[in-house]
Amino acid sequence: MSRILDQRILLLVISFSASVQSTKVLSKWKKCGDPECEKAMSRVQATTDYLGPDCRYLTFKTGEEIMVYSKLSRESENLWTGSKGKDFGYFPRDAVKVEEVLIEEEVEVLTKETDFLCLQEDKYTFE
């Protein structure tokens, strides 16, 4: 009896993990200005207000300046990653205009699970 229960719990965990994994990673690849994605690639200005759907996204108002650090590639080329003050997150590239290009040559690297973490109330969570 306990063996059957253990198998059911394992199947439930596997099925839940598969569904969570499919929603938390936005892309397997990203383009950066360096292999560690530490250098700012460009400075952009918001052309529209944007309210992100969850804590992985950057919220901003028209006219605000954002520093871009990476651009998702292949599966989600429309999403860029940047910062505005202390806030950091993803945003759609069509919500901004490029003001200054800081790095001409982009490097494509694999994303990591940690690229898609949310930080809320001092806890990391996956969406």
Side-chain angles (χ1 to χ4, degrees):
M1 177 74 161
S2 81
R3 181 180 165 105
I4 292 172
L5 183 59
D6 289 346
Q7 288 176 343
R8 287 184 181 171
I9 290 172
L10 180 61
L11 286 173
L12 182 63
V13 168
I14 290 170
S15 125
F16 177 74
S17 296
S19 69
V20 168
Q21 184 173 2
S22 68
T23 60
K24 67 182 170 187
V25 175
L26 301 173
S27 177
K28 291 183 181 178
W29 295 92
K30 62 183 175 180
K31 293 180 182 177
C32 301
D34 64 283
E36 292 78 31
C37 299
E38 294 175 351
K39 294 181 182 176
M41 300 174 71
S42 59
R43 181 176 54 81
V44 299
Q45 185 177 43
T47 57
T48 186
D49 292 355
Y50 178 71
L51 176 62
D54 62 46
C55 63
R56 295 177 295 180
Y57 292 81
L58 186 66
T59 296
F60 50 80
K61 296 203 178 291
T62 304
E64 290 187 306
E65 186 177 282
I66 301 163
M67 298 304 290
V68 177
Y69 287 92
S70 69
K71 303 171 181 178
L72 294 185
S73 59
R74 301 187 189 188
E75 298 97 355
S76 300
E77 291 189 359
N78 185 47
L79 289 177
W80 289 2
T81 312
S83 67
K84 176 192 70 145
K86 297 184 302 184
D87 299 328
F88 187 86
Y90 294 94
F91 59 91
R93 72 177 180 191
D94 59 357
V96 299
K97 68 178 178 179
V98 176
E99 293 286 307
E100 181 181 14
V101 175
L102 304 172
I103 294 190
E104 292 291 334
E105 195 165 325
E106 298 175 348
V107 178
E108 190 171 50
V109 297
L110 283 167
T111 60
K112 301 175 223 159
E113 230 175 44
T114 55
D115 290 335
F116 307 103
L117 286 175
C118 285
L119 177 59
Q120 289 184 317
E121 299 173 13
D122 299 326
K123 294 180 184 175
Y124 289 106
T125 58
F126 282 109
E127 288 299 314

